[in-house]
mmCIF file of all heavy atoms in Angstrom:
data_model
loop_
_atom_site.group_PDB
_atom_site.id
_atom_site.type_symbol
_atom_site.label_atom_id
_atom_site.label_comp_id
_atom_site.label_asym_id
_atom_site.label_seq_id
_atom_site.Cartn_x
_atom_site.Cartn_y
_atom_site.Cartn_z
ATOM 1 N N ASP A 139 172.564 9.361 28.224
ATOM 2 C CA ASP A 139 171.171 9.573 27.848
ATOM 3 C C ASP A 139 170.276 9.605 29.089
ATOM 4 O O ASP A 139 169.290 10.329 29.137
ATOM 5 C CB ASP A 139 170.703 8.455 26.907
ATOM 6 C CG ASP A 139 171.481 8.453 25.607
ATOM 7 O OD1 ASP A 139 171.306 9.407 24.825
ATOM 8 O OD2 ASP A 139 172.262 7.522 25.372
ATOM 9 N N ARG A 140 170.633 8.781 30.057
ATOM 10 C CA ARG A 140 169.968 8.775 31.363
ATOM 11 C C ARG A 140 171.041 8.618 32.428
ATOM 12 O O ARG A 140 172.100 8.061 32.155
ATOM 13 C CB ARG A 140 168.998 7.582 31.500
ATOM 14 C CG ARG A 140 167.749 7.648 30.679
ATOM 15 C CD ARG A 140 166.863 6.430 30.968
ATOM 16 N NE ARG A 140 167.452 5.184 30.483
ATOM 17 C CZ ARG A 140 167.564 4.075 31.189
ATOM 18 N NH1 ARG A 140 167.154 4.033 32.461
ATOM 19 N NH2 ARG A 140 168.093 2.973 30.660
ATOM 20 N N VAL A 141 170.746 9.095 33.632
ATOM 21 C CA VAL A 141 171.681 8.918 34.740
ATOM 22 C C VAL A 141 170.950 8.264 35.907
ATOM 23 O O VAL A 141 169.926 8.771 36.376
ATOM 24 C CB VAL A 141 172.295 10.258 35.196
ATOM 25 C CG1 VAL A 141 173.184 10.038 36.429
ATOM 26 C CG2 VAL A 141 173.109 10.891 34.074
ATOM 27 N N MET A 142 171.473 7.126 36.344
ATOM 28 C CA MET A 142 170.976 6.427 37.524
ATOM 29 C C MET A 142 171.925 6.752 38.674
ATOM 30 O O MET A 142 173.140 6.634 38.532
ATOM 31 C CB MET A 142 170.954 4.919 37.251
ATOM 32 C CG MET A 142 170.396 4.068 38.356
ATOM 33 S SD MET A 142 170.290 2.313 37.830
ATOM 34 C CE MET A 142 171.985 1.774 38.107
ATOM 35 N N VAL A 143 171.363 7.187 39.786
ATOM 36 C CA VAL A 143 172.190 7.626 40.905
ATOM 37 C C VAL A 143 172.076 6.625 42.047
ATOM 38 O O VAL A 143 170.979 6.171 42.390
ATOM 39 C CB VAL A 143 171.774 9.031 41.397
ATOM 40 C CG1 VAL A 143 172.746 9.517 42.473
ATOM 41 C CG2 VAL A 143 171.739 10.021 40.237
ATOM 42 N N MET A 144 173.253 6.275 42.622
ATOM 43 C CA MET A 144 173.288 5.336 43.734
ATOM 44 C C MET A 144 173.766 6.025 45.011
ATOM 45 O O MET A 144 174.575 6.961 44.970
ATOM 46 C CB MET A 144 174.194 4.149 43.403
ATOM 47 C CG MET A 144 173.694 3.302 42.250
ATOM 48 S SD MET A 144 174.697 1.795 41.979
ATOM 49 C CE MET A 144 174.319 0.866 43.487
ATOM 50 N N HIS A 145 173.252 5.535 46.123
ATOM 51 C CA HIS A 145 173.646 6.049 47.447
ATOM 52 C C HIS A 145 173.511 4.911 48.445
ATOM 53 O O HIS A 145 172.463 4.255 48.513
ATOM 54 C CB HIS A 145 172.754 7.224 47.861
ATOM 55 C CG HIS A 145 173.013 7.723 49.255
ATOM 56 N ND1 HIS A 145 174.137 8.453 49.585
ATOM 57 C CD2 HIS A 145 172.297 7.599 50.410
ATOM 58 C CE1 HIS A 145 174.109 8.753 50.863
ATOM 59 N NE2 HIS A 145 173.005 8.250 51.391
ATOM 60 N N SER A 146 174.574 4.626 49.186
ATOM 61 C CA SER A 146 174.564 3.578 50.215
ATOM 62 C C SER A 146 174.124 2.222 49.662
ATOM 63 O O SER A 146 173.332 1.517 50.284
ATOM 64 C CB SER A 146 173.674 3.994 51.392
ATOM 65 O OG SER A 146 174.174 5.163 52.002
ATOM 66 N N GLY A 147 174.601 1.886 48.460
ATOM 67 C CA GLY A 147 174.346 0.574 47.903
ATOM 68 C C GLY A 147 173.011 0.379 47.223
ATOM 69 O O GLY A 147 172.678 -0.741 46.822
ATOM 70 N N LYS A 148 172.242 1.433 47.075
ATOM 71 C CA LYS A 148 170.946 1.294 46.418
ATOM 72 C C LYS A 148 170.725 2.414 45.410
ATOM 73 O O LYS A 148 171.362 3.477 45.482
ATOM 74 C CB LYS A 148 169.820 1.280 47.454
ATOM 75 C CG LYS A 148 169.743 2.531 48.309
ATOM 76 C CD LYS A 148 168.675 2.378 49.379
ATOM 77 C CE LYS A 148 168.601 3.623 50.270
ATOM 78 N NZ LYS A 148 167.591 3.474 51.342
ATOM 79 N N VAL A 149 169.820 2.178 44.477
ATOM 80 C CA VAL A 149 169.461 3.198 43.491
ATOM 81 C C VAL A 149 168.466 4.160 44.139
ATOM 82 O O VAL A 149 167.436 3.739 44.663
ATOM 83 C CB VAL A 149 168.832 2.551 42.239
ATOM 84 C CG1 VAL A 149 168.378 3.626 41.257
ATOM 85 C CG2 VAL A 149 169.830 1.602 41.568
ATOM 86 N N VAL A 150 168.805 5.450 44.116
ATOM 87 C CA VAL A 150 167.955 6.440 44.780
ATOM 88 C C VAL A 150 167.239 7.356 43.794
ATOM 89 O O VAL A 150 166.424 8.192 44.197
ATOM 90 C CB VAL A 150 168.768 7.282 45.779
ATOM 91 C CG1 VAL A 150 169.221 6.421 46.944
ATOM 92 C CG2 VAL A 150 169.967 7.948 45.100
ATOM 93 N N GLY A 151 167.522 7.195 42.510
ATOM 94 C CA GLY A 151 166.817 8.028 41.540
ATOM 95 C C GLY A 151 167.365 7.865 40.144
ATOM 96 O O GLY A 151 168.454 7.309 39.935
ATOM 97 N N GLU A 152 166.585 8.305 39.178
ATOM 98 C CA GLU A 152 166.996 8.284 37.776
ATOM 99 C C GLU A 152 166.610 9.613 37.152
ATOM 100 O O GLU A 152 165.502 10.113 37.362
ATOM 101 C CB GLU A 152 166.311 7.132 37.041
ATOM 102 C CG GLU A 152 166.782 6.957 35.611
ATOM 103 C CD GLU A 152 166.117 5.777 34.922
ATOM 104 O OE1 GLU A 152 166.406 4.627 35.298
ATOM 105 O OE2 GLU A 152 165.296 6.022 34.019
ATOM 106 N N LEU A 153 167.538 10.194 36.410
ATOM 107 C CA LEU A 153 167.335 11.517 35.836
ATOM 108 C C LEU A 153 167.512 11.456 34.323
ATOM 109 O O LEU A 153 168.353 10.722 33.809
ATOM 110 C CB LEU A 153 168.345 12.502 36.418
ATOM 111 C CG LEU A 153 168.312 12.685 37.945
ATOM 112 C CD1 LEU A 153 169.569 13.407 38.411
ATOM 113 C CD2 LEU A 153 167.060 13.430 38.375
ATOM 114 N N THR A 154 166.714 12.240 33.630
ATOM 115 C CA THR A 154 166.816 12.298 32.177
ATOM 116 C C THR A 154 166.391 13.674 31.700
ATOM 117 O O THR A 154 165.694 14.415 32.413
ATOM 118 C CB THR A 154 165.939 11.216 31.518
ATOM 119 O OG1 THR A 154 166.193 11.195 30.109
ATOM 120 C CG2 THR A 154 164.459 11.474 31.754
ATOM 121 N N GLY A 155 166.808 14.032 30.495
ATOM 122 C CA GLY A 155 166.385 15.295 29.906
ATOM 123 C C GLY A 155 166.803 16.506 30.721
ATOM 124 O O GLY A 155 167.888 16.534 31.326
ATOM 125 N N ALA A 156 165.930 17.504 30.763
ATOM 126 C CA ALA A 156 166.241 18.763 31.435
ATOM 127 C C ALA A 156 166.441 18.602 32.939
ATOM 128 O O ALA A 156 167.116 19.415 33.581
ATOM 129 C CB ALA A 156 165.130 19.780 31.171
ATOM 130 N N GLU A 157 165.855 17.558 33.522
ATOM 131 C CA GLU A 157 166.001 17.347 34.968
ATOM 132 C C GLU A 157 167.372 16.807 35.344
ATOM 133 O O GLU A 157 167.752 16.814 36.512
ATOM 134 C CB GLU A 157 164.930 16.379 35.472
ATOM 135 C CG GLU A 157 165.087 14.952 34.967
ATOM 136 C CD GLU A 157 164.030 14.000 35.490
ATOM 137 O OE1 GLU A 157 163.154 14.452 36.264
ATOM 138 O OE2 GLU A 157 164.088 12.804 35.135
ATOM 139 N N CYS A 158 168.124 16.345 34.351
ATOM 140 C CA CYS A 158 169.436 15.738 34.614
ATOM 141 C C CYS A 158 170.498 16.838 34.642
ATOM 142 O O CYS A 158 171.140 17.142 33.634
ATOM 143 C CB CYS A 158 169.761 14.691 33.556
ATOM 144 S SG CYS A 158 171.259 13.760 33.935
ATOM 145 N N THR A 159 170.674 17.430 35.784
ATOM 146 C CA THR A 159 171.676 18.471 35.980
ATOM 147 C C THR A 159 172.708 17.990 36.992
ATOM 148 O O THR A 159 172.474 17.045 37.754
ATOM 149 C CB THR A 159 171.035 19.765 36.500
ATOM 150 O OG1 THR A 159 170.473 19.510 37.805
ATOM 151 C CG2 THR A 159 169.935 20.251 35.560
ATOM 152 N N GLN A 160 173.850 18.669 37.011
ATOM 153 C CA GLN A 160 174.881 18.305 37.975
ATOM 154 C C GLN A 160 174.373 18.474 39.407
ATOM 155 O O GLN A 160 174.672 17.657 40.283
ATOM 156 C CB GLN A 160 176.112 19.177 37.762
ATOM 157 C CG GLN A 160 176.790 18.958 36.415
ATOM 158 C CD GLN A 160 178.035 19.792 36.242
ATOM 159 O OE1 GLN A 160 178.854 19.886 37.152
ATOM 160 N NE2 GLN A 160 178.186 20.398 35.076
ATOM 161 N N GLU A 161 173.586 19.514 39.622
ATOM 162 C CA GLU A 161 173.056 19.762 40.960
ATOM 163 C C GLU A 161 172.116 18.650 41.393
ATOM 164 O O GLU A 161 172.164 18.185 42.540
ATOM 165 C CB GLU A 161 172.328 21.112 41.000
ATOM 166 C CG GLU A 161 173.226 22.325 40.819
ATOM 167 C CD GLU A 161 173.619 22.571 39.369
ATOM 168 O OE1 GLU A 161 173.060 21.893 38.466
ATOM 169 O OE2 GLU A 161 174.512 23.411 39.142
ATOM 170 N N ALA A 162 171.241 18.196 40.479
ATOM 171 C CA ALA A 162 170.285 17.139 40.819
ATOM 172 C C ALA A 162 171.011 15.824 41.108
ATOM 173 O O ALA A 162 170.648 15.090 42.035
ATOM 174 C CB ALA A 162 169.282 16.961 39.680
ATOM 175 N N VAL A 163 172.048 15.522 40.315
ATOM 176 C CA VAL A 163 172.823 14.302 40.543
ATOM 177 C C VAL A 163 173.499 14.350 41.910
ATOM 178 O O VAL A 163 173.441 13.395 42.691
ATOM 179 C CB VAL A 163 173.873 14.102 39.429
ATOM 180 C CG1 VAL A 163 174.828 12.954 39.792
ATOM 181 C CG2 VAL A 163 173.196 13.808 38.098
ATOM 182 N N MET A 164 174.132 15.475 42.226
ATOM 183 C CA MET A 164 174.816 15.591 43.511
ATOM 184 C C MET A 164 173.852 15.521 44.683
ATOM 185 O O MET A 164 174.141 14.908 45.718
ATOM 186 C CB MET A 164 175.615 16.907 43.558
ATOM 187 C CG MET A 164 176.395 17.091 44.865
ATOM 188 S SD MET A 164 177.545 15.722 45.202
ATOM 189 C CE MET A 164 178.846 16.114 44.044
ATOM 190 N N ARG A 165 172.673 16.090 44.514
ATOM 191 C CA ARG A 165 171.684 16.060 45.581
ATOM 192 C C ARG A 165 171.272 14.616 45.897
ATOM 193 O O ARG A 165 171.196 14.208 47.050
ATOM 194 C CB ARG A 165 170.460 16.893 45.178
ATOM 195 C CG ARG A 165 169.548 17.303 46.338
ATOM 196 C CD ARG A 165 168.449 18.239 45.895
ATOM 197 N NE ARG A 165 169.001 19.542 45.511
ATOM 198 C CZ ARG A 165 168.918 20.059 44.289
ATOM 199 N NH1 ARG A 165 168.324 19.388 43.326
ATOM 200 N NH2 ARG A 165 169.424 21.226 44.036
ATOM 201 N N LEU A 166 171.033 13.837 44.842
ATOM 202 C CA LEU A 166 170.678 12.439 45.041
ATOM 203 C C LEU A 166 171.854 11.636 45.592
ATOM 204 O O LEU A 166 171.689 10.790 46.475
ATOM 205 C CB LEU A 166 170.214 11.813 43.716
ATOM 206 C CG LEU A 166 168.821 12.183 43.225
ATOM 207 C CD1 LEU A 166 168.633 11.734 41.781
ATOM 208 C CD2 LEU A 166 167.746 11.577 44.120
ATOM 209 N N ALA A 167 173.034 11.912 45.094
ATOM 210 C CA ALA A 167 174.207 11.151 45.501
ATOM 211 C C ALA A 167 174.541 11.345 46.977
ATOM 212 O O ALA A 167 175.155 10.479 47.606
ATOM 213 C CB ALA A 167 175.409 11.536 44.643
ATOM 214 N N THR A 168 174.138 12.494 47.521
ATOM 215 C CA THR A 168 174.415 12.776 48.927
ATOM 216 C C THR A 168 173.231 12.453 49.830
ATOM 217 O O THR A 168 173.203 12.834 50.997
ATOM 218 C CB THR A 168 174.816 14.248 49.114
ATOM 219 O OG1 THR A 168 173.830 15.106 48.507
ATOM 220 C CG2 THR A 168 176.165 14.533 48.462
ATOM 221 N N GLY A 169 172.227 11.766 49.257
ATOM 222 C CA GLY A 169 171.117 11.294 50.079
ATOM 223 C C GLY A 169 169.907 12.204 50.091
ATOM 224 O O GLY A 169 168.941 11.938 50.821
ATOM 225 N N GLY A 170 169.914 13.251 49.264
ATOM 226 C CA GLY A 170 168.768 14.153 49.214
ATOM 227 C C GLY A 170 167.774 13.718 48.143
ATOM 228 O O GLY A 170 167.858 12.635 47.579
ATOM 229 N N SER A 171 166.838 14.595 47.821
ATOM 230 C CA SER A 171 165.844 14.334 46.788
ATOM 231 C C SER A 171 166.300 14.975 45.503
ATOM 232 O O SER A 171 167.187 15.829 45.471
ATOM 233 C CB SER A 171 164.480 14.897 47.191
ATOM 234 O OG SER A 171 164.534 16.297 47.353
#
């Protein structure tokens, strides 16, 4: 229902609805926005 993304031991973002795409998750997971 929601995806919380972590990077380097911290939460870097939360995605839900239409904004929750594979591309957005990967971008956050690799340290991007």
Side-chain angles (χ1 to χ4, degrees):
D139 297 292
R140 289 182 292 131
V141 176
M142 183 175 82
V143 186
M144 296 186 67
H145 175 73
S146 298
K148 60 185 179 182
V149 176
V150 292
E152 185 178 291
L153 301 166
T154 187
E157 68 179 0
C158 187
T159 64
Q160 295 182 44
E161 293 78 9
V163 171
M164 182 57 76
R165 198 174 292 117
L166 285 168
T168 52
S171 62

